[in-house]
Amino acid sequence: MIRASAPGRVNLIGEHTDTTGGLALPMAIQLGTVVTGERGGDRVVLTSDADDEPLDLPLEIGDPATVSPPWARYVAGVVAELRPAAGFTGSVTTDLPVGAGLSSSAALEVAVALALGFDGGPRELALACQRAERRASGVPCGVMDQLASVAGVAGHALLLDCATLDATTVAIPADVEIVAVHSGESRSLATSAYADRRATCAAAERIVGPLRDIVDVARLDEIDDPVVRRRARHVVSENERVRAFAAALQAGDLQVAGDLMAASHASLAEDFEVSTAGLDALVADLSARPAVFGARLTGAGFGGCAVALCRPGAIDLGWRLRPSAGASVAGT
Ligand code: GLA
């Protein structure tokens, strides 16, 4: 019996930076997805406790984006990437909320890849699952979600350099809690807006070069189009906030860290324009509570969750998230 498990992730800061090889600071969480079963045969057959419809896929997969039921697309994406020699029969269990911005799809991809016998290092695993996600969803996503799920370390967040794929651990202080709260809005526009923002950042890079190399936002004055300039300003300033946030956590300076989260949200709302009225209101509500250091939208935006940094017990709703270990597989 094979048992492969992969965590979801929450991103503390560094949003919409991975697609330009920038910095992000997610942590793997205790909520995740487990795939159990046996290898063999020439089909992948899985049931899921999150979906009534099972999947039954051939190893010779066509276009993953067209298979049914919809959750099977992520599995099909992994099968298309890995081209495994043998199939798999088993079940999927998950305690991750689907579509909340906590990377349920990345957790599914990583767990399936390990169950199918992925043979390679952690970076290759994350990259293969990123490609699977792109095939399945058509979204030109970055590598943050899959890398966080693969590389998570208990008690730590990960400072990810999305150009080199280096993951540096940053300890989460014991006297804080990280809470994700759903806005109640599903991430309806996320797909089209995501591709649009990515294209706009690429347009900025054609003018000023790689955004990850820019430290001084004044360099962006070369960009004439005010929308392109604002999108680029978000990315450049967000990379700097990630560095400052990692340093603040290491110094135990929680209010500085919280203020950086607030600045990140403002930049996502005003410069990158991926927030919603509901997310803005939720972030304002959470931030105003006693013993909350800061809050911001987390994930792609246009709905989904906000994340808050606070003293333990300060927020009595949502998910209290613990920094957790990355994916693993056991059995033969
Ligand atoms: C989604 C993508 C990630 C990342 C975030 C935004 O979660 O899958 O690659 O771009 O949005 O930071």
Side-chain angles (χ1 to χ4, degrees), residues 13 71 134 147 152 307:
I13 198 162
W71 74 276
R134 289 179 170 196
L147 192 52
V307 62

Side-chain angles (χ1 to χ4, degrees), residues 9 11 14-19 141-145 194 299-300:
R9 66 95 187 92
N11 191 22
E15 217 66 83
H16 290 283
T17 47
D18 61 348
T19 43
C141 66
V143 73
M144 166 173 67
D145 305 346
Y194 191 95

